[in-house]
Amino acid sequence: MEHRIVGPGPYRATRLWNETVELFRTRMPLRKHRCRFKSYEHCFTAAEAVDWLHELLRCSQNFGPEVTRKQTVQLLKKFLKNHVIEDIKGKWGQEDFEDNRHLYRFPPSSPLKPYPKRPPYQKEVIKFPEWNDPPPGTSQENIPVRPVVMNSELWFKRHSIAIGEVPACRLIHRRQLTEANVEEIWKSATLSYLQKILGLDSLEEVLDVKLVNSKFIIHNVYSVSKQGVVILDDKSKELPHWVLSAMKCLANWPNCSDLRQPMYLGFEKDVFKTIADYYGHLKEPLLTFHLFDAFVSVLGLLQKENMAIEAFQICCLLLPPENRRKLQLLMRMMARICLNKEMPPLCDGVGTRTLMVQTFSRCILCSKGEVDLDDLLAARLVTFLMDNFEEILKVPLALQTSIEERVAHLRRVQSFSQIEERHSIPTRRYALLDLN
């Protein structure tokens, strides 16, 4: 069984669904079965389907070995609902799928999911704001130029670059560098960087760039603690104190004497349930509905670990600061619990690592429209995030350095222009000239 790698790009969830459906329909073994004294050709039991599909998903680099049998059953429920399979009597849709000996077959045709239609996009969507562009409604003819009396010294300065004819000149409008300019530079550079890593002609098909908030990016870069965790200006958006205390208790187990509360058999399970309930009732997943397609697209890079980490770093910078902070604290707790050998089992029959993924996947990544592969994609992302959270939730140094150097350069140009004006340098007029 081979499941080809579905790389990054638009509609990755739909492409994965179609790829899995095609493999299942063409490779699933079919044979004769008997049920209630009657024989049925070319069919399979529910348990056989679960066995085969579970192995396919676990061996696939698109999903990975963390896929559970329960998740496979959930996917087959969706297959039945979408008429990828039907029961032996032709029923589907409202029927329920269970891991048992019930017989199923493939219908004569199984339409694959169509790709969403989106408005056409321009190939070059993201670009840096042009520093020399005049404000709207301003023409070069309207730019005032103060006349300068020519003398020998000024003539020498004017013609020191070249001897002979002076090339044609054009006027450049030097704009003031504002905070809005800086914010736009951060947004443009960040999105350009992400687009380059994903290898896309445009980001429009994986996220709406108009909804990207440049203030979020800047806050996530600079407003952080020594540990790299985002500091919020609005304290009302912090985690509730009781949730934070519960997370500290499990993250530092068994060193939680500072809580000064009684310990009893099963105490750690109740604490964990408190945290799970809070995160499970969030109105929106931590990675937001808006960024779902962007994060799913990055999942196509997991075979290139360094590129995937870099792309996730960029995507996480786009998060609202309160979401990024909650994600940082949650991932730190999850990782510490998984590595703590002193931690008692938090769930009977389920390993700690698997429990962490199953419990928090949907509160971290989920689509607004309930995509059919939500659970599998979320589990894959959370597994990778849990293993690499320290790197992923860092600010990408190369991006930060590049933007800071650009802003610093523009501020130097602005300062030089202001000095010229303040001291009324005779060559002021020619500082506004750009030789072609």
Side-chain angles (χ1 to χ4, degrees), residues 180-391:
N181 295 144
V182 175
E183 290 173 4
E184 184 60 28
I185 290 170
W186 269 98
K187 177 178 176 178
S188 299
T190 302
L191 294 180
S192 295
Y193 206 56
L194 178 61
Q195 180 175 323
K196 181 179 178 181
I197 295 174
L198 295 180
L200 302 178
D201 290 334
S202 170
L203 288 178
E204 291 287 350
E205 293 182 335
V206 296
L207 65 88
D208 186 346
V209 297
K210 295 178 182 178
L211 298 180
V212 174
N213 191 322
S214 56
K215 294 183 186 295
F216 290 171
I217 301 173
I218 296 173
H219 188 104
N220 289 334
V221 170
Y222 293 111
S223 298
V224 295
S225 66
K226 293 180 180 179
Q227 293 75 32
V229 179
V230 172
I231 300 172
L232 301 182
D233 296 330
D234 185 354
K235 299 305 179 183
S236 66
K237 295 182 179 180
E238 291 273 9
L239 280 168
H241 176 72
W242 50 274
V243 176
L244 192 58
S245 296
M247 294 175 71
K248 287 181 178 179
C249 175
L250 292 188
N252 299 319
W253 189 274
N255 299 319
C256 55
S257 56
D258 58 311
L259 296 178
R260 297 179 182 177
Q261 55 188 52
M263 301 287 286
Y264 54 86
L265 186 63
F267 171 78
E268 67 284 348
K269 294 181 181 179
D270 288 344
V271 174
F272 181 74
K273 185 177 184 301
T274 297
I275 302 167
D277 286 345
Y278 172 79
Y279 275 93
H281 287 87
L282 295 177
K283 294 181 179 179
E284 186 179 33
L286 294 178
L287 301 186
T288 73
F289 292 134
H290 165 233
L291 294 174
F292 173 82
D293 287 329
F295 278 102
V296 169
S297 185
V298 176
L299 284 173
L301 292 173
L302 291 194
Q303 69 275 15
K304 302 175 183 177
E305 184 173 304
N306 291 335
M307 288 184 66
I309 289 175
E310 200 170 8
F312 278 133
Q313 284 179 334
I314 303 296
C315 287
C316 288
L317 280 183
L318 307 182
L319 295 172
E322 59 268 25
N323 287 43
R324 183 177 172 92
R325 178 175 173 81
K326 289 176 182 176
L327 180 66
Q328 288 174 313
L329 296 175
L330 177 62
M331 296 312 305
R332 182 172 295 182
M333 181 202 74
M334 292 168 63
R336 288 185 178 179
I337 289 175
C338 289
L339 294 174
N340 190 350
K341 296 181 180 179
E342 301 295 326
M343 175 64 69
L346 295 173
C347 182
D348 298 334
V350 179
T352 302
R353 179 183 171 87
T354 302
L355 178 65
M356 293 297 113
V357 174
Q358 289 181 355
T359 302
F360 297 109
S361 287
R362 287 186 67 82
C363 74
I364 292 176
L365 181 74
C366 181
S367 69
K368 195 170 186 178
E370 289 293 320
V371 174
D372 293 309
L373 295 176
D374 267 4
D375 293 342
L376 295 178
L377 294 173
R380 183 68 166 143
L381 182 142
V382 171
T383 300
F384 188 82
L385 186 59
M386 194 164 58
D387 292 338
N388 302 278
F389 82 97
E390 290 186 347
E391 286 298 315

